[in-house]
Amino acid sequence: MSNPTRRQALTAGAVGAVGAAAAIAPALAGTASAESGTSESNPLFSQENSMLVLIDYQPEMVNGVTSMNKDLLQLNVKALARIARLLKIPTVLTTVGVKAGVNHPTIPSLREEVPTLTEYDRMTMNAWEDEPVRRAIKATGRRNVVFAALWTEICLAFPVVHAQRDGYRTMVVTDAVGGTSPAAHEAGIQRVIQAGSIPNSFLGILGEWIRDWSDPRSDAGREVVPWYWAELAKLDLG
């Protein structure tokens, strides 16, 4: 018998995820852990203490990514935006060079997840150096900032390093960002880690935001996770 393909494995994972969510939720109902609290001493990011910044998910930037599969990249950032929207986590969306006629706006697959968000367009490489963007982030009152951006080595690294310097605690979603080469992506990730940022994945931050299946807000996770695995199974990942 031949080995299962990755597509078959992902399809099985999608079915399993639905079953797991159904099985886990009743088992955990009413068993909220003290570790899921929201005190300032808790080292994890939570729905109450964090926000999301999405930087430059535009056609030109997506086309320049070579560090990972572009379809997977777009699915991951779409899923990230979806869970943030459902959990009502403050989100700031930025673009670069649209008003100048250099680039196009945010890709439709992401924009449809955040249709009401203001799109802050700028000309600076570093979004943190753009006053309206920085003001929008500060206005949320959150000091834990989750970043996703294109490209890793520039538009992710620069604002993350700057935010760390300004006293914010940052996290980067490594499978929702991409660089112009695998080496450039890795250099960007290493740079933000050295600056003190925390690497995570899409499913990692989803779990960190939820953490308690007995919380009514975890319905967002039950909605997104099976959908995500089903969409993942559709991709031609070999």
Side-chain angles (χ1 to χ4, degrees), residues 14-26:
V15 174
V18 177
I24 291 173

PDB file of all heavy atoms in Angstrom, residues 14-26:
ATOM      1  N   ALA A  14      -8.477  17.454   9.043  1.00  0.00           N
ATOM      2  CA  ALA A  14      -9.657  18.315   9.094  1.00  0.00           C
ATOM      3  C   ALA A  14     -10.814  17.606   9.768  1.00  0.00           C
ATOM      4  O   ALA A  14     -11.503  18.165  10.617  1.00  0.00           O
ATOM      5  CB  ALA A  14     -10.047  18.737   7.667  1.00  0.00           C
ATOM      6  N   VAL A  15     -11.019  16.326   9.391  1.00  0.00           N
ATOM      7  CA  VAL A  15     -12.090  15.545  10.003  1.00  0.00           C
ATOM      8  C   VAL A  15     -11.810  15.352  11.480  1.00  0.00           C
ATOM      9  O   VAL A  15     -12.676  15.488  12.337  1.00  0.00           O
ATOM     10  CB  VAL A  15     -12.225  14.183   9.285  1.00  0.00           C
ATOM     11  CG1 VAL A  15     -13.244  13.311  10.013  1.00  0.00           C
ATOM     12  CG2 VAL A  15     -12.642  14.389   7.835  1.00  0.00           C
ATOM     13  N   GLY A  16     -10.539  15.061  11.785  1.00  0.00           N
ATOM     14  CA  GLY A  16     -10.163  14.856  13.177  1.00  0.00           C
ATOM     15  C   GLY A  16     -10.347  16.090  14.018  1.00  0.00           C
ATOM     16  O   GLY A  16     -10.721  16.019  15.187  1.00  0.00           O
ATOM     17  N   ALA A  17     -10.069  17.252  13.436  1.00  0.00           N
ATOM     18  CA  ALA A  17     -10.187  18.505  14.180  1.00  0.00           C
ATOM     19  C   ALA A  17     -11.626  18.761  14.604  1.00  0.00           C
ATOM     20  O   ALA A  17     -11.890  19.218  15.724  1.00  0.00           O
ATOM     21  CB  ALA A  17      -9.680  19.678  13.339  1.00  0.00           C
ATOM     22  N   VAL A  18     -12.571  18.461  13.700  1.00  0.00           N
ATOM     23  CA  VAL A  18     -13.980  18.643  14.030  1.00  0.00           C
ATOM     24  C   VAL A  18     -14.356  17.736  15.188  1.00  0.00           C
ATOM     25  O   VAL A  18     -15.001  18.143  16.158  1.00  0.00           O
ATOM     26  CB  VAL A  18     -14.866  18.354  12.808  1.00  0.00           C
ATOM     27  CG1 VAL A  18     -16.334  18.469  13.181  1.00  0.00           C
ATOM     28  CG2 VAL A  18     -14.534  19.308  11.675  1.00  0.00           C
ATOM     29  N   GLY A  19     -13.932  16.467  15.085  1.00  0.00           N
ATOM     30  CA  GLY A  19     -14.246  15.518  16.148  1.00  0.00           C
ATOM     31  C   GLY A  19     -13.595  15.892  17.461  1.00  0.00           C
ATOM     32  O   GLY A  19     -14.197  15.773  18.527  1.00  0.00           O
ATOM     33  N   ALA A  20     -12.355  16.345  17.386  1.00  0.00           N
ATOM     34  CA  ALA A  20     -11.627  16.709  18.598  1.00  0.00           C
ATOM     35  C   ALA A  20     -12.287  17.882  19.295  1.00  0.00           C
ATOM     36  O   ALA A  20     -12.423  17.899  20.521  1.00  0.00           O
ATOM     37  CB  ALA A  20     -10.180  17.047  18.258  1.00  0.00           C
ATOM     38  N   ALA A  21     -12.699  18.883  18.505  1.00  0.00           N
ATOM     39  CA  ALA A  21     -13.356  20.045  19.102  1.00  0.00           C
ATOM     40  C   ALA A  21     -14.638  19.634  19.810  1.00  0.00           C
ATOM     41  O   ALA A  21     -14.945  20.114  20.903  1.00  0.00           O
ATOM     42  CB  ALA A  21     -13.662  21.086  18.024  1.00  0.00           C
ATOM     43  N   ALA A  22     -15.382  18.716  19.181  1.00  0.00           N
ATOM     44  CA  ALA A  22     -16.631  18.263  19.780  1.00  0.00           C
ATOM     45  C   ALA A  22     -16.390  17.465  21.050  1.00  0.00           C
ATOM     46  O   ALA A  22     -17.156  17.534  22.010  1.00  0.00           O
ATOM     47  CB  ALA A  22     -17.414  17.413  18.767  1.00  0.00           C
ATOM     48  N   ALA A  23     -15.284  16.693  21.052  1.00  0.00           N
ATOM     49  CA  ALA A  23     -14.987  15.858  22.209  1.00  0.00           C
ATOM     50  C   ALA A  23     -14.388  16.653  23.355  1.00  0.00           C
ATOM     51  O   ALA A  23     -14.697  16.420  24.521  1.00  0.00           O
ATOM     52  CB  ALA A  23     -14.028  14.733  21.804  1.00  0.00           C
ATOM     53  N   ILE A  24     -13.511  17.576  23.029  1.00  0.00           N
ATOM     54  CA  ILE A  24     -12.794  18.321  24.057  1.00  0.00           C
ATOM     55  C   ILE A  24     -13.708  19.285  24.806  1.00  0.00           C
ATOM     56  O   ILE A  24     -13.634  19.407  26.021  1.00  0.00           O
ATOM     57  CB  ILE A  24     -11.622  19.095  23.435  1.00  0.00           C
ATOM     58  CG1 ILE A  24     -10.558  18.104  22.978  1.00  0.00           C
ATOM     59  CG2 ILE A  24     -11.021  20.075  24.419  1.00  0.00           C
ATOM     60  CD1 ILE A  24      -9.431  18.756  22.191  1.00  0.00           C
ATOM     61  N   ALA A  25     -14.572  19.968  24.070  1.00  0.00           N
ATOM     62  CA  ALA A  25     -15.386  21.014  24.696  1.00  0.00           C
ATOM     63  C   ALA A  25     -16.206  20.510  25.879  1.00  0.00           C
ATOM     64  O   ALA A  25     -16.165  21.102  26.961  1.00  0.00           O
ATOM     65  CB  ALA A  25     -16.289  21.661  23.649  1.00  0.00           C
ATOM     66  N   PRO A  26     -16.985  19.393  25.736  1.00  0.00           N
ATOM     67  CA  PRO A  26     -17.763  18.937  26.885  1.00  0.00           C
ATOM     68  C   PRO A  26     -16.871  18.520  28.043  1.00  0.00           C
ATOM     69  O   PRO A  26     -17.192  18.723  29.211  1.00  0.00           O
ATOM     70  CB  PRO A  26     -18.553  17.746  26.321  1.00  0.00           C
ATOM     71  CG  PRO A  26     -18.581  17.966  24.850  1.00  0.00           C
ATOM     72  CD  PRO A  26     -17.261  18.613  24.540  1.00  0.00           C
TER      73      PRO A  26
END
